[in-house]
Amino acid sequence: MRAPLLGLAAALSFAGVAQAADLTVTIQGVRSADGYVMVALFDREDAFKERKNEIAALRLRAREGQVSATLHDLPAGTYGFAVYHDENGNSELDANLLGMPTEGYTFSNDARGSFGPPGFADAKFGLDAEPLKMTATLSY
Amino acid sequence: MNRRDFLALSATTAAMAGLPLPLAAAGDDWAKAFRAALAEKPWLLGWLGTNEARLETPALTVDGTIPSELSGTLYRNGPAQHEVGGRRYQHWFDGDGMVQAFRIGGGKVAHLGRLVETAKLATEDKADRPVEMTFGTYLPDMRRAANADALNTANISMLHHGGELLALWEGGSAYQIEPDTLDTIGPKTWNPLTKGLPFSAHPRVDSQGTLWSFGYASSAGAIVLYRIDPAGTLVEQGIVRMERVPMVHDFVVTERQVLLVLPPLYFDRERPGAFLDRHVWDPDAGTRILIFDKDDLTKHRTVEMPAFWMFHFGNAWEDSAGKIHLDLARYDDPSLMFETLRWVMRGEYRPATTARPYRMTVDPAAGKATSEAIAEDAEAEFPRIDPRLTGLRHRRLILLGSDGSAPHPLFNAVVRVDPETGERSFYSYGPNAIAEEHVFVPRPGGTGEDDGWVLGTVLNYKAGVTRLNVFDAAGLSDGPLATASLPYALPLGLHGTFVAG
């Protein structure tokens, strides 16, 4: 299924690249149909760390259970994604006064940091010419 | 553990405890070692734990007479599920919390105990194994601690405030509990800004009915302060930023001040292991006392002292000269937590530094503090006072102590001491007992610290049962007025609160 894509930072079709593949992202553990599940895909460590300059961003209407979307024709390479459930639809990952997330979130590989967010090393995965399916589960 | 061992244990300890024995997973070294030791050291029954989600006895057997005026519920909490899928935690403080309610009225006592249904419990029930790193255990297949509430066991204490009952941890949210059924309602959110922030297990309700609390946010480099009105609304939160955050279990308030006493046990996220193991004892840094005015949580004065460790304070109050007097159970270092309370889960008794009751005097104007033993010879912990005197001058401290006859690392006696004269009364439960926290309950309409009862639970590991004792506060050494026995042993718990009604 091609997901409703809103507010994209980059074009989602990379057709024409020599080696390219589709990436299907499935986000599980969505606790309600409120708001959106936001997925940001990164191809660089610094971008992942700062949650800036994503190469693709998905805004998927939330559905209790799981949501899924496919990004087409991504160049082969190393990627990592960060996800949150924007339950109140304010397009932000809400946080408490110490900056800890107060909405559900997860990362590719279900990577967990140690007393903080994970680094790219734990979240990264490789994509080559074959289509790839990645699943991650939200934590609230 | 092989089947023969299990049967042998079933015939002794489990039958004694009256509860099904949790089955150790094959290959779990700690579970096996614990069971082997339990056959030799029956006092380990207190740390066996349970996998029962619910324990209930409608009418306990009562010896003696429960005063007819004594009516209400003693809620207690503590780590109870020490094994998940047969795999054993490696620290006493790790187990999933179980709320125990002892309902007292008309001379009778009923008991209901239920595991707190935390997010962690739900995850691990499904997986049938320990999934989350805990306070003191980090097994190779456990998840890292992504956020505090993922490992919240809600297992330390209870609070009743603004009509709500809360099961308290200290690293994350309090869990709201339905007071009658003990159903878990869910994590308590005071407001969106403090959602998920740590809320201590030792909040203090002052004489104005205001609830004060704090929380140490190790990975965020801050301690949070809470001011909650008598109705249960959070009216102010303060943040104290610090480069290194220490482990802080308790704090105190006076009529005008909030005091954070920070022992030099600092969090270092780069260290390996469980949360506890990521702490470094740095005695050269000393123990610091941060003093806040209640009406301005944005700034504080700091008084420094040579290093000491404590879990618990009794109370604090300010005299007319502006000096603050503070009672605590003081340790030279935190080795008890790193050694004794860890290895007991493997069935080993490794002695460490013990606590003594101390009176500390802080002079904020001079920037100085001193401390002095209240009773030089007494080992004591779990200090409590008449709750009506929180922040005011108190003359009675209720503590747990020892008569020296018990072979285990905890306490077998209850002590009541005047912190100003050192005069004390004492009652020992004998060599087969492990006493748990005892609390003062004022007599309805009564006045003063002698006019009421002392309530506390005791595990008699020889009989394999937990008993609730009721003393006349003024006649502690005469022994209990009444003892109500459960037909089973409860896992040793930590703290509780009495709710009259």
Side-chain angles (χ1 to χ4, degrees):
Chain A
M1 147 197 140
R2 191 172 274 270
L5 301 175
L6 300 167
L8 282 189
L12 281 177
S13 179
F14 297 84
V17 177
Q19 253 198 339
D22 291 354
L23 170 66
T24 299
V25 175
T26 300
I27 306 303
Q28 297 181 328
V30 183
R31 73 174 179 189
S32 74
D34 297 337
Y36 299 86
V37 175
M38 312 287 269
V39 183
L41 183 71
F42 303 92
D43 64 352
R44 296 201 325 266
E45 182 167 5
D46 57 340
F48 179 85
K49 190 177 175 186
E50 292 163 23
R51 312 275 184 265
K52 279 181 182 166
N53 300 318
E54 64 270 26
I55 61 155
L58 304 173
R59 187 174 190 238
L60 311 172
R61 188 168 292 284
R63 210 175 50 200
E64 195 178 325
Q66 67 176 48
V67 295
S68 193
T70 301
L71 295 162
H72 296 279
D73 301 326
L74 285 171
T78 302
Y79 296 92
F81 58 78
V83 184
Y84 70 96
H85 182 183
D86 181 22
E87 252 177 319
N88 60 3
N90 67 351
S91 300
E92 282 181 8
L93 172 58
D94 293 339
N96 63 30
L97 53 79
L98 292 181
M100 302 165 178
T102 55
E103 293 183 296
Y105 63 92
T106 189
F107 299 92
S108 40
N109 302 332
D110 282 321
R112 283 193 161 205
S114 195
F115 301 96
F120 192 63
D122 290 318
K124 72 182 181 187
F125 58 92
L127 182 75
D128 53 25
E130 297 301 313
L132 181 67
K133 290 181 175 174
M134 294 286 291
T135 299
T137 303
L138 287 165
S139 297
Y140 291 88
Chain B
M1 180 163 79
N2 65 35
R3 183 169 161 75
R4 195 186 57 194
D5 290 343
F6 173 69
L7 289 175
L9 276 171
S10 297
T12 56
T13 313
M16 224 161 64
L19 291 177
L21 186 71
L23 280 165
D28 188 305
D29 196 36
W30 280 62
K32 272 191 280 187
F34 181 84
R35 277 163 181 73
L38 183 57
E40 305 292 318
K41 302 173 198 151
W43 52 265
L44 286 169
L45 179 62
W47 286 273
L48 176 62
T50 181
N51 292 125
E52 300 295 305
R54 180 188 184 95
L55 300 171
E56 193 166 13
T57 300
L60 278 69
T61 311
V62 178
D63 288 329
T65 305
I66 294 171
S68 57
E69 289 173 290
L70 177 59
S71 178
T73 304
L74 175 67
Y75 292 103
R76 288 183 42 75
N77 195 354
Q81 180 166 261
H82 293 308
E83 293 175 10
V84 180
R87 291 173 60 188
R88 187 161 180 82
Y89 287 122
Q90 300 175 359
H91 199 285
W92 182 27
F93 296 164
D94 289 341
D96 296 299
M98 186 179 229
V99 176
Q100 314 290 354
F102 292 90
R103 300 188 197 287
I104 306 166
K108 293 188 164 69
V109 184
H111 170 256
L112 176 62
R114 289 188 65 188
L115 287 176
V116 185
E117 290 172 3
T118 58
K120 172 186 175 292
L121 193 82
T123 302
E124 296 182 346
D125 270 355
K126 213 154 115 190
D128 195 30
R129 68 173 182 90
V131 172
E132 305 288 357
M133 170 203 275
T134 56
F135 175 83
T137 305
Y138 190 22
L139 303 172
D141 59 350
M142 281 178 167
R143 292 206 290 214
R144 291 173 180 171
N147 66 70
D149 275 341
L151 33 155
N152 192 340
T153 47
N155 68 357
I156 305 179
S157 189
M158 301 299 294
L159 168 72
H160 188 262
H161 185 77
E164 290 182 349
L165 183 67
L166 301 173
L168 307 174
W169 193 45
E170 67 179 29
S173 305
Y175 263 82
Q176 196 181 341
I177 304 292
E178 205 290 317
D180 292 325
T181 61
L182 305 187
D183 285 342
T184 301
I185 296 168
K188 170 72 181 174
T189 299
W190 300 96
N191 70 17
L193 284 177
T194 59
K195 186 179 176 195
L197 288 184
F199 190 87
S200 86
H202 290 285
R204 303 259 169 187
V205 179
D206 69 17
S207 56
Q208 305 303 304
T210 300
L211 171 67
W212 299 87
S213 189
F214 73 98
Y216 63 99
S218 312
S219 60
I223 292 181
V224 187
L225 294 169
Y226 300 81
R227 175 202 193 105
I228 293 159
D229 72 14
T233 303
L234 176 62
V235 288
E236 187 184 359
Q237 63 271 334
I239 290 189
V240 195
R241 302 248 174 216
M242 48 191 78
E243 213 161 285
R244 294 197 296 169
V245 178
M247 189 180 288
V248 197
H249 181 67
D250 195 355
F251 82 138
V252 282
V253 298
T254 69
E255 273 188 287
R256 295 193 308 129
Q257 295 119 333
V258 174
L259 278 78
L260 287 174
V261 182
L262 310 179
L265 182 61
Y266 289 111
F267 179 71
D268 175 359
R269 87 165 72 218
E270 302 308 324
R271 290 173 70 90
F275 179 70
L276 174 63
D277 300 302
R278 292 172 195 241
H279 284 80
V280 184
W281 179 243
D282 181 7
D284 291 343
T287 289
R288 290 180 303 143
I289 306 166
L290 274 44
I291 307 166
F292 303 79
D293 285 336
K294 277 180 172 173
D295 46 21
D296 184 2
L297 299 178
T298 62
K299 48 182 192 282
H300 62 266
R301 285 154 291 165
T302 303
V303 176
E304 293 181 358
M305 291 187 79
F308 61 88
W309 168 256
M310 76 279 135
F311 292 106
H312 303 125
F313 297 102
N315 188 36
W317 55 277
E318 185 186 19
D319 68 22
S320 55
K323 288 185 180 172
I324 300 164
H325 305 276
L326 205 162
D327 292 344
L328 70 155
R330 181 194 183 282
Y331 299 78
D332 290 339
D333 60 56
S335 53
L336 181 90
M337 180 167 56
F338 285 90
E339 294 292 323
T340 316
L341 304 183
R342 181 196 301 275
W343 289 99
V344 72
M345 297 302 289
R346 212 188 146 86
E348 296 178 23
Y349 181 3
R350 296 198 182 178
T353 312
T354 54
R356 289 180 172 170
Y358 265 68
R359 164 64 56 98
M360 198 157 98
T361 302
V362 184
D363 184 343
K368 286 189 174 142
T370 56
S371 70
E372 199 180 343
I374 289 171
E376 190 60 55
D377 62 334
E379 237 182 65
E381 247 291 7
F382 292 90
R384 296 292 298 248
I385 60 153
D386 179 341
R388 296 169 300 185
L389 296 179
T390 300
L392 307 175
R393 186 179 183 178
H394 63 284
R395 292 297 300 271
R396 300 287 182 268
L397 265 182
I398 293 158
L399 300 131
L400 299 181
S402 299
D403 68 2
S405 74
H408 57 73
L410 292 184
F411 306 94
N412 71 345
V414 56
V415 188
R416 193 155 169 272
V417 61
D418 179 335
E420 299 187 14
T421 65
E423 190 186 326
R424 56 206 280 266
S425 51
F426 185 92
Y427 178 78
S428 171
Y429 291 103
N432 300 317
I434 303 180
E436 302 179 278
E437 182 188 68
H438 281 48
V439 300
F440 176 78
V441 177
R443 190 174 61 81
T447 51
E449 295 170 81
D450 292 333
D451 197 359
W453 304 285
V454 172
L455 262 64
T457 42
V458 172
L459 169 67
N460 185 308
Y461 50 84
K462 197 173 177 192
V465 299
T466 296
R467 295 176 176 143
L468 172 71
N469 297 279
V470 181
F471 297 82
D472 179 351
L476 188 78
S477 10
D478 300 336
L481 299 171
T483 297
S485 296
L486 282 169
Y488 38 76
L490 296 176
L492 287 172
L494 294 168
H495 305 283
T497 189
F498 184 82
V499 181

